[in-house]
Amino acid sequence: MELLSQLINLICWYLRPLVKWFLRQTTRLCELQRICYGESSGAPRTIGVENSLIASRVPEIQKLLKSMDTKVNKKLSLEEVKAFLDSSCSQIMRIKEIKPDLHRQFVQSMTVCLRQIWGYKQLKLEVEKLRAESFDDGNLQHEMQLLELWTLLQPDRPLLTRVTKQWQDIGFQGEDPKTDFRGMGILGLQNLVYFAREFGSAAKHILSHSHHPRFGYLFIEFDKFWLECQPRDIMEFNRIRDLFENNIRSQLEDTRTFFKVNIEVDTV
């Protein structure tokens, strides 16, 4: 199956220039124009533009993408970002021989797409930076966030000591919760604090599910999915997690999909 997929990709790679040439001759529009005019605004259009730029064999386009990757790693001001994206849009139009006076809608759409591509790249860097930052019990800010999590989830129960089995009552594995942040780093802690602060009732409700005699630690949509699957015990976690992940991946294949917090709190 993998060999067939590679073969199809190889054929598409060779046929792509011919298809692009044919469509340009018949529509009088380049691929980027067809995407900006034909795709819905938002993810479908931006993904189409990004894929088209990545697949381009024009050296100047590839150089522009590398420049974007380099600059997004730097802390540019809003004015510098705007200037770079405007310049990138102008370069693309020059390379594709698109006249800005005749295609003003393209200029607007392309600028928005480039801005979203930039924002996405920047977000990935920021998230990865937090994930790579290990929890440090010598860092006062880290410790304050950890204690805030306890206070949010257990407002009526004071924490007796920093290292205690009490942490297990809110889902940590041992007496010192810092060992549970090995994989996600400080990002995991910040996500938990945000969820507990912004959706306190739901967070406590899900925590109550984790205390159920048959069920383990659960989270929002996974919480509902887990209960719907009616597992025999916690040993079924991996199977149900894989099913849940496959469902989410299937939904995300549709570029129109977006997820929002829509929490319904039921009794246990």
Side-chain angles (χ1 to χ4, degrees):
M1 192 66 180
E2 183 178 351
L3 181 61
L4 178 60
S5 178
Q6 292 178 349
L7 180 61
I8 293 174
N9 290 335
L10 184 62
I11 294 173
C12 291
W13 190 84
Y14 279 107
L15 291 179
R16 177 178 166 79
L18 178 61
V19 173
K20 288 179 63 179
W21 175 85
F22 175 78
L23 290 175
R24 177 143 197 174
Q25 295 303 311
T26 55
T27 65
R28 313 308 298 176
L29 299 172
C30 72
E31 184 178 53
L32 288 173
Q33 287 175 295
R34 295 195 299 273
I35 292 170
C36 286
Y37 294 151
E39 291 287 356
S40 302
S41 62
R45 182 182 297 167
T46 300
I47 291 173
V49 166
E50 184 177 28
N51 289 339
S52 177
L53 293 174
I54 292 173
S56 176
R57 303 181 192 182
V58 179
E60 287 182 277
I61 295 291
Q62 293 304 311
K63 183 179 179 180
L64 186 149
L65 292 178
K66 289 181 180 178
S67 177
M68 178 179 286
D69 288 336
T70 300
K71 287 184 178 295
V72 81
N73 280 284
K74 301 177 180 178
K75 293 183 178 180
L76 301 182
S77 66
L78 292 177
E79 292 76 12
E80 291 173 323
V81 172
K82 184 179 184 304
F84 172 74
L85 296 181
D86 288 344
S87 173
S88 298
C89 185
S90 297
Q91 289 182 57
I92 291 171
M93 296 187 72
R94 176 182 56 78
I95 294 167
K96 297 296 183 180
E97 299 180 349
I98 301 172
K99 297 180 180 179
D101 293 338
L102 297 178
H103 297 278
R104 294 181 180 179
Q105 181 185 341
F106 176 82
V107 177
Q108 295 175 355
S109 298
M110 192 66 191
T111 301
V112 170
C113 289
L114 290 175
R115 190 182 304 133
Q116 291 178 341
I117 292 171
W118 175 278
Y120 173 65
K121 289 177 177 291
Q122 194 172 47
L123 177 62
K124 285 199 301 181
L125 286 173
E126 292 174 359
V127 169
E128 177 57 26
K129 181 179 178 180
L130 288 173
R131 189 207 63 77
E133 182 180 353
S134 301
F135 181 90
D136 180 7
D137 54 7
N139 186 313
L140 181 59
Q141 185 178 10
H142 291 184
E143 284 292 309
M144 292 298 291
Q145 290 181 57
L146 184 60
L147 293 176
E148 181 183 3
L149 178 63
W150 173 269
T151 303
L152 289 168
L153 293 176
Q154 300 288 313
D156 300 323
R157 291 183 59 200
L159 196 64
L160 300 180
T161 60
R162 166 61 179 77
V163 178
T164 171
K165 289 185 177 181
Q166 283 181 283
W167 290 110
Q168 297 176 15
D169 295 338
I170 60 172
F172 289 100
Q173 297 179 18
E175 297 182 1
D176 192 345
K178 72 176 183 180
T179 58
D180 284 16
F181 296 114
R182 286 187 293 261
M184 292 298 292
I186 200 65
L187 177 65
L189 176 58
Q190 289 191 3
N191 281 335
L192 288 172
V193 171
Y194 176 82
F195 180 60
R197 184 194 302 131
E198 300 299 323
F199 306 98
S201 296
K204 293 172 186 174
H205 179 69
I206 291 174
L207 178 61
S208 70
H209 277 180
S210 72
H211 294 155
H212 192 285
R214 289 176 55 202
F215 305 141
Y217 185 68
L218 314 166
F219 233 127
I220 313 181
E221 292 300 322
F222 182 70
D223 175 56
K224 293 191 293 185
F225 186 77
W226 173 275
L227 295 176
E228 288 170 1
C229 290
Q230 298 182 341
R232 292 189 304 273
D233 51 45
I234 191 62
M235 299 306 295
E236 289 205 77
F237 177 83
N238 287 342
R239 179 183 68 82
I240 294 176
R241 179 202 59 197
D242 291 342
L243 287 174
F244 180 75
E245 180 179 345
N246 290 335
N247 287 345
I248 295 296
R249 288 184 180 275
S250 296
Q251 294 180 57
L252 288 175
E253 288 179 358
D254 185 349
T255 56
R256 296 168 298 179
T257 298
F258 67 93
F259 297 120
K260 61 180 181 179
V261 177
N262 184 24
I263 301 173
E264 296 179 2
V265 176
D266 301 320
T267 55
V268 179

